[in-house]
Amino acid sequence: GIASVVAGHPLDTVKTRLQAGQGYGNTLKCVLTVYRNESLAGFFKGMSFPLASIGIYSSVVFGVFSNTQRFLSQLRHGDPAAAPSLADVTLASLVAGVISVGIGTPVELVKIRLQMQTQPYTKANVKLNPTVLGSPVYRGPVHCLRTILQKEGLPGVYRGNVAMLLRDVPGYCAYFIPYAVFCDWITPHGSISPNPFSIWVAGGVAGAVSWAVCTPMDVVKSRLQADGVYLNQYKGTLDCMLQSYQNEGIKVFCRGLLVNTIRGFPSSAAMFLGYELSLKAMKRCQTETNP
């Protein structure tokens, strides 16, 4: 999880600014604007909270996915170690996607609020909060979370959870299924387990596919969660979708598609490689301790 955050956060910041910000234009212009206005540190805004919580988040998501697969294999074949079918992988992905929202929504909210708190708003027809535009609203992740709780209560912490559910459920299906299929396809015949290169490539492809699939709802989620730094514009998921479509057309739901797909490869490649190698190391350690 930590490997995926470090590998993907700079482009995640670019993606969030493109989806929920104003005046950034295309990907290259956004990168140059962030660098010119905020230097290299601007790309790492909001990284500390995901970095601190990603271990728990990834453990739960991968743990739920793996244990659901084992449960289904035990149910169908009487052996938890039996190779899962495509239906089993799909169901395990759906369960992992649902569970991820409960843990991931507050983390995503804080990350996006910190990423967006210095971006410019140019719309004159919205009522701004009494904060100087461009000045930091939050001093850090803990202050951000405390401020949201004080002003918006517990529902505010889970702002965008419906959009995140609509993003993550199909997103995790497009994450774990391509990984399993591609990993199996690229692994040399006769090998007991995939080699690190196969894991890296399969994880990267799975990440790129998954983010391409869930970008439309990721746009909605980003806008809902960024809403509230300086203004309150959206009443909910459907309202956000309708307003975005009315103001910017259907193409708005493809904002950040390119950067999401590009970012998805190294981020997920690092995630799966770290996961598989960590598992192998721990299994080897257990074998040596308990021969």
Side-chain angles (χ1 to χ4, degrees):
I2 290 170
S4 74
V5 171
V6 173
H9 194 82
L11 282 177
D12 184 73
T13 299
V14 174
K15 178 267 296 183
T16 302
R17 297 288 180 93
L18 283 171
Q19 290 179 340
Q22 298 286 337
Y24 286 106
N26 56 34
T27 303
L28 181 60
K29 185 184 174 185
C30 182
V31 170
L32 293 174
T33 302
V34 173
Y35 180 73
R36 186 169 55 248
N37 295 340
E38 303 167 53
S39 76
L40 198 60
F43 295 100
F44 293 92
K45 280 189 174 177
M47 191 175 84
S48 59
F49 195 46
L51 203 61
S53 58
I54 192 69
I56 298 170
Y57 177 78
S58 297
S59 297
V60 171
V61 170
F62 277 79
V64 167
F65 174 74
S66 299
N67 283 295
T68 303
Q69 275 193 336
R70 291 173 63 82
F71 172 75
L72 292 171
S73 294
Q74 175 71 44
L75 206 63
R76 294 177 191 274
H77 311 292
D79 179 13
S85 65
L86 184 61
D88 292 347
V89 175
T90 304
L91 185 55
S93 302
L94 290 171
V95 174
V98 171
I99 297 297
S100 74
V101 174
I103 303 170
T105 303
V107 177
E108 287 276 306
L109 178 68
V110 171
K111 180 199 73 175
I112 285 177
R113 290 286 177 95
L114 291 173
Q115 286 174 328
M116 294 300 297
Q117 65 174 337
T118 57
Q119 77 94 43
Y121 274 99
T122 56
K123 296 180 76 172
N125 61 339
V126 292
K127 186 178 180 181
L128 297 175
N129 287 336
T131 307
V132 179
L133 289 180
S135 63
V137 179
Y138 312 112
R139 294 191 294 270
V142 176
H143 179 250
C144 178
L145 192 60
R146 190 167 65 241
T147 303
I148 294 168
L149 274 169
Q150 287 172 349
K151 291 184 176 179
E152 304 171 51
L154 193 60
V157 175
Y158 280 89
R159 185 172 178 81
N161 61 343
V162 174
M164 192 165 174
L165 188 69
L166 294 173
R167 182 196 75 168
D168 281 6
V169 170
Y172 274 114
C173 286
Y175 189 57
F176 286 115
I177 294 172
Y179 173 73
V181 171
F182 199 78
C183 207
D184 183 61
W185 178 70
I186 203 172
T187 302
H189 185 68
S191 296
I192 299 173
S193 60
N195 58 48
F197 177 73
S198 298
I199 294 167
W200 185 82
V201 173
V205 170
V209 170
S210 174
W211 277 109
V213 167
C214 64
T215 290
M217 285 313 301
D218 189 50
V219 172
V220 177
K221 183 200 73 71
S222 294
R223 291 187 165 207
L224 278 170
Q225 293 186 325
D227 193 36
V229 178
Y230 296 118
L231 53 88
N232 288 290
Q233 187 178 353
Y234 307 116
K235 295 174 185 176
T237 303
L238 185 59
D239 182 53
C240 180
M241 293 171 71
L242 290 172
Q243 282 197 49
S244 298
Y245 175 72
Q246 287 167 358
N247 294 334
E248 300 169 66
I250 195 71
K251 68 180 187 297
V252 69
F253 299 108
C254 294
R255 272 199 180 188
L257 176 63
L258 178 63
V259 72
N260 251 348
T261 307
I262 293 171
R263 178 183 68 94
F265 192 99
S267 178
S268 295
M271 171 80 87
F272 276 105
L273 189 60
Y275 170 72
E276 297 285 4
L277 293 181
S278 298
L279 267 185
K280 284 181 181 179
M282 284 185 280
K283 284 177 181 177
R284 187 164 55 246
C285 208
Q286 282 182 334
T287 304
E288 290 171 0
T289 309
N290 304 302

